[in-house]
Amino acid sequence: RARIFSGMQPTSDSLHLGNYLGALTQWVALQESYDALYCVVDLHALTVSPDPAVLRDRTRRTAAQYLAAGVDPARSILFVQSHVPEHAELAWILSCHTGFGEAGRMTQFKDKSGRYGAEGTTVGLFTYPVLMAADILLYDTALVPVGEDQRQHLELTRDLAQRLNARFGAGTAIVPEAHIVRATAKIYDLQEPTAKMSKSSANPNGIIELLDDPKVVAKRIRSAVTDAEREIRFDPEAKPGIANLLTIYSALTNRDVPTLEAEYAGRGYGDLKKDLAEVVVDFLRPFQERANAYLADPAALDDVLADGAERAQDLAGATLERIYDRTGLLRRR
Ligand code: TYM
């Protein structure tokens, strides 16, 4: 079976609805038909210089949320990036094949380094996408389910795979495809519905965290920014706020947008928000119960992660050995 790889950074206590709808729901669906590896990318999280105790805690919390969403550790490999040192090793090889200018053109790097300034920007932030490419290529991954914001990083990964194949022979690396589901590839901020929902959002009311108090979540939905019209219609250009609410509603209920438009024809924004708040809260309550159950037993969680790391490392070791060999590194006898 073809392989899938994806990951999220443990950079906040809770994942948000963008992470869930853009990526995590796809992960759960795809594990039925692929061999999947789902990773908590703690090495990537070091680029925001987290407090050590907080990083450790968030690593477990992120894993617990994967499980709560339905990632099945009996079927898929759930692990922590730093438990498999091959990720960092392959990143070095790939960094020697990545252009300085090429890495500098990554828009996420440009955004972040623009915010941090030259002194605040680390080399780790610059090479972040190279480590991400290593994550993917290390498992001969066919498909990478992510949100829209990762598209450019996936392109870089594909370019690197092709470059290795051109230089060291076909089959050195497998060229992966992005799996980006259009409808939910970009969930927007509730307060600023033209910007993506993001952990680093300026206004906390714009994001829905999966582990937030349901009362707070409901309030945030009811106060989502909309527009001065009254018509409930899916028009992302003219009505980004309403379109975003319809997208979330549709994704969480599996009802398509035209059906929802018809149902809310002639009704007010208040009705839509009230109903959506209920939909979200009904989804969050059992999700939070499951996540909290996993978090209540960190030893069991660590067992799951240890088992995942062992299975991941078996696969990673074989790929790294092949690439080291093709690259011309003398192998130890
Ligand atoms: P991260 O941790 O920022 O986000 C995790 C996943 O959530 C998706 N996402 C969204 N989708 C829809 N709407 C949004 N508003 C939204 N915000 C985030 C992201 O696209 C992502 O799929 N670089 C990656 C982590 C990573 C990775 C990898 C991913 C490291 N190595 C290898 C795939 C494969 C990141 O920062 O994701």
Side-chain angles (χ1 to χ4, degrees), residues 225-256:
V225 166
T226 51
D227 55 64
E229 296 180 7
R230 337 177 113 238
E231 200 189 344
I232 296 175
R233 166 167 62 81
F234 187 78
D235 183 345
E237 292 287 313
K239 303 167 74 66
I242 292 293
N244 191 39
L245 296 179
L246 286 169
T247 298
I248 294 169
Y249 201 142
S250 167
L252 287 177
T253 57
N254 281 316
R255 292 158 71 200
D256 60 21

Side-chain angles (χ1 to χ4, degrees), residues 17 88 161 168 170 255 325:
L17 204 55
F168 303 111
R255 292 158 71 200
D325 185 45

Side-chain angles (χ1 to χ4, degrees), residues 10 13 46 49-61:
D13 287 351
L46 292 179
S49 52
D51 174 85
V54 171
L55 175 60
R56 240 182 318 268
D57 180 53
R58 288 177 170 176
T59 299
R60 284 206 188 93
R61 292 175 78 91

Side-chain angles (χ1 to χ4, degrees), residues 13-331:
D13 287 351
S14 174
L15 299 174
H16 59 65
L17 204 55
N19 301 137
Y20 181 76
L21 295 177
L24 203 42
T25 50
Q26 312 306 328
W27 296 9
V28 172
L30 290 165
Q31 68 183 348
E32 308 289 329
S33 29
Y34 291 82
D35 285 337
L37 294 108
Y38 297 129
C39 187
V40 181
V41 294
D42 57 344
L43 296 174
H44 278 107
L46 292 179
T47 57
V48 298
S49 52
D51 174 85
V54 171
L55 175 60
R56 240 182 318 268
D57 180 53
R58 288 177 170 176
T59 299
R60 284 206 188 93
R61 292 175 78 91
T62 303
Q65 290 172 84
Y66 291 1
L67 291 165
V71 167
D72 174 3
R75 193 185 311 229
S76 303
I77 298 178
L78 196 172
F79 74 109
V80 174
Q81 188 184 33
S82 66
H83 294 179
V84 181
E86 284 83 352
H87 289 249
E89 296 185 63
L90 182 58
W92 172 255
I93 304 284
L94 296 179
S95 73
C96 296
H97 294 273
T98 308
F100 191 83
E102 186 177 37
R105 283 192 294 277
M106 294 294 115
T107 56
Q108 287 208 346
F109 172 72
K110 288 197 282 185
D111 287 351
K112 288 185 186 166
S113 59
R115 263 184 274 139
Y116 303 158
E119 289 312 310
T121 300
T122 63
V123 174
L125 192 66
F126 185 62
T127 59
Y128 176 111
V130 179
L131 178 59
M132 176 166 165
D135 297 340
I136 296 166
L137 299 183
L138 198 48
Y139 297 98
D140 291 337
T141 303
L143 208 65
V144 185
V146 285
E148 179 62 40
D149 60 349
Q150 298 302 315
R151 189 184 290 280
Q152 195 188 27
H153 291 160
L154 252 295
E155 277 307 314
L156 175 70
T157 305
R158 290 168 54 83
D159 288 346
L160 285 169
Q162 281 157 352
R163 204 167 292 162
L164 292 185
N165 290 340
R167 177 88 204 271
F168 303 111
T172 303
I174 302 295
V175 183
E177 300 279 344
H179 178 85
I180 300 175
V181 174
R182 207 153 162 236
T184 51
K186 193 169 178 183
I187 301 298
Y188 293 87
D189 187 292
L190 298 179
Q191 287 298 314
E192 199 187 331
T194 50
K196 78 165 177 185
M197 188 179 284
S198 157
K199 293 164 203 170
S200 52
S201 166
N203 185 345
N205 292 326
I207 79 170
I208 294 179
E209 294 200 312
L210 302 181
L211 299 180
D212 260 350
D213 178 352
K215 286 200 201 76
V216 172
V217 170
K219 190 152 171 248
R220 286 182 182 173
I221 290 173
R222 285 196 307 267
S223 50
V225 166
T226 51
D227 55 64
E229 296 180 7
R230 337 177 113 238
E231 200 189 344
I232 296 175
R233 166 167 62 81
F234 187 78
D235 183 345
E237 292 287 313
K239 303 167 74 66
I242 292 293
N244 191 39
L245 296 179
L246 286 169
T247 298
I248 294 169
Y249 201 142
S250 167
L252 287 177
T253 57
N254 281 316
R255 292 158 71 200
D256 60 21
V257 168
T259 305
L260 294 173
E261 285 176 321
E263 184 175 325
Y264 285 94
R267 297 169 64 192
Y269 290 176
D271 280 359
L272 175 71
K273 289 177 173 178
K274 187 170 135 296
D275 293 352
L276 177 58
E278 242 170 70
V279 164
V280 175
V281 167
D282 286 347
F283 152 68
L284 287 185
R285 283 193 204 281
F287 177 89
Q288 294 182 358
E289 263 173 43
R290 291 191 296 271
N292 288 330
Y294 288 115
L295 288 169
D297 191 352
L301 190 56
D302 289 353
D303 281 345
V304 168
L305 295 173
D307 173 63
E310 198 174 309
R311 289 151 70 200
Q313 194 164 18
D314 276 347
L315 304 172
T319 313
L320 188 68
E321 188 55 34
R322 181 183 75 226
I323 295 178
Y324 270 4
D325 185 45
R326 296 237 186 158
T327 312
L329 296 170
L330 177 67
R331 308 316 301 133

